[in-house]
Amino acid sequence: MEFILYLVLILLFTKLAGDLAVRLGQPAVLGKLIVGVLLGPAVLGWVHNSDFIHDMSEIGVLLLMFIAGLETDLEQLKKNWKAAFAVAVGGIVLPFAGGYAVGELFGFTNLESLFLGVILSATSVSISVQVLKDMNRLNTPEGSTILGAAVVDDIIVVLLLAVLMSFSGSGEEVSLGLLVGKKMLFLVIAILAGIFAVPRIMKWLAPLRVTEAVITAALVICFAYAYFAEAMGMAGIIGAFAAGLAIAQTSFKTTVEVKLEPIAYSLFVPIFFVSIGLNVTFEGLGGQLGFAVILTLVAVLAKWGGAWIGARLTGFGSRSASAIGIGMISRGEVALIIAASGLAENLLAPAYFTSVILVVIVTTLLTPPLLKVVFR
């Protein structure tokens, strides 16, 4: 029954911390992220990562991105696709080069340095999405560009990771043609399903004489998209976002949005926010403090600068480009997964794993207050 105590602590303290953050002029999500650090092994040790926390947080981030898809203006997203591509590319080139340079500076092998570049290239916009929602900025050109860039970023970073894994000594052969083909197949099927299948499925399941048939149908589509995305080598959050976009084009959009938000934000999303902080630990960090500080600075400035350049080249003003760059800084759960994969494939030395995870967490914590400042 330990998980019941975890739920009590997480739900209570995330709401209190979120309220306190708002009173201090910060986004509520910042307080919720810090609660994870405080409750976790790094400070109080009251809540520990477990299969239960992991699975609930996975559902939380999928629902968060699904709701973001529901609330996204598809026309605005189409209008900013060129900017999204430029931002994604700029936000990969500079961080990749910066990560490689840091690895070389600290005596990493060539392969380890390249992998460090891949980690810094990753982006998870789930935290940025929450801040943009809170500030009513999700459907602005900046918000749409950040969301679009996240899709492109996911494709490129997974391809880079696959290439490095082919040289890691694991013996796994990687076909770039197959990887690209699977991702293109996902995009084509997701679009076609959104146009032809999703409206029919919703109309078919909605009239069923059972409780909450509409919201159940929407969740079936959300999780099916997420599972298919994972199967095709994409992040599940991209699939959930695509599912939200598809349902947003149907007449069920408002019903799903109104009924899903209480489910997501009362239970699953708070667990996701806390799970990010639970990965923080300070064991063995003392001897690597310089490495962690330098890598954090490079992670923030390179992603910000690269995305800023991409945004400026596609017509955004300096302030808007800064907002887009900041929105891409968070590495979140995507970088955590990549780091764990690299550790298993001997692409990251175990001694540096804690420092890398801490850098990922710091970039995630920095994003909400920086977004608040630049949009103010």
Side-chain angles (χ1 to χ4, degrees), residues 178-371:
L178 179 61
L179 287 171
V180 174
K182 287 170 68 176
K183 285 160 182 56
M184 293 302 104
L185 181 63
F186 166 77
L187 293 174
V188 170
I189 292 178
I191 292 170
L192 292 177
I195 296 172
F196 300 107
V198 170
R200 287 174 172 79
I201 292 172
M202 293 297 295
K203 288 179 181 178
W204 172 53
L205 293 177
L208 295 181
R209 286 174 288 183
V210 293
T211 56
E212 303 299 348
V214 172
I215 192 64
T216 301
L219 288 173
V220 166
I221 292 169
C222 169
F223 295 139
Y225 261 73
Y227 180 82
F228 182 55
E230 291 280 356
M232 293 293 103
M234 302 278 283
I237 57 176
I238 300 299
F241 176 69
L245 279 176
I247 291 179
Q249 310 314 306
T250 71
S251 59
F252 300 97
K253 172 186 182 295
T254 303
T255 302
V256 172
E257 192 175 341
V258 168
K259 292 191 174 184
L260 183 60
E261 285 198 353
I263 298 172
Y265 286 103
S266 63
L267 179 61
F268 295 103
V269 173
I271 294 175
F272 162 65
F273 290 142
V274 168
S275 72
I276 296 288
L278 294 181
N279 292 284
V280 175
T281 174
F282 300 116
E283 293 179 8
L285 185 62
Q288 298 176 15
L289 194 57
F291 169 77
V293 170
I294 292 174
L295 190 63
T296 300
L297 289 173
V298 171
V300 172
L301 296 177
K303 179 67 80 170
W304 189 350
W308 184 88
I309 291 171
R312 289 288 285 154
L313 290 176
T314 49
F316 281 96
S318 181
R319 193 173 189 80
S320 293
S322 290
I324 292 168
I326 291 169
M328 299 290 290
I329 286 174
S330 173
R331 287 0 186 247
E333 74 286 351
V334 174
L336 294 177
I337 293 169
I338 291 175
S341 301
L343 185 66
E345 295 289 337
N346 299 315
L347 291 168
L348 178 64
Y352 286 94
F353 184 71
T354 296
S355 297
V356 169
I357 294 302
L358 188 63
V359 171
V360 171
I361 302 299
V362 170
T363 62
T364 305
L365 290 171
L366 283 175
T367 301
L370 289 176
L371 271 176

Side-chain angles (χ1 to χ4, degrees), residues 56-66 124 126-127 237 240 268-269 272 333:
M56 293 286 279
S57 68
E58 283 287 303
I59 296 173
V61 71
L62 291 179
L63 293 181
L64 180 61
M65 293 304 293
F66 180 60
S124 174
S126 52
I127 302 300
I237 57 176
F268 295 103
V269 173
F272 162 65
E333 74 286 351

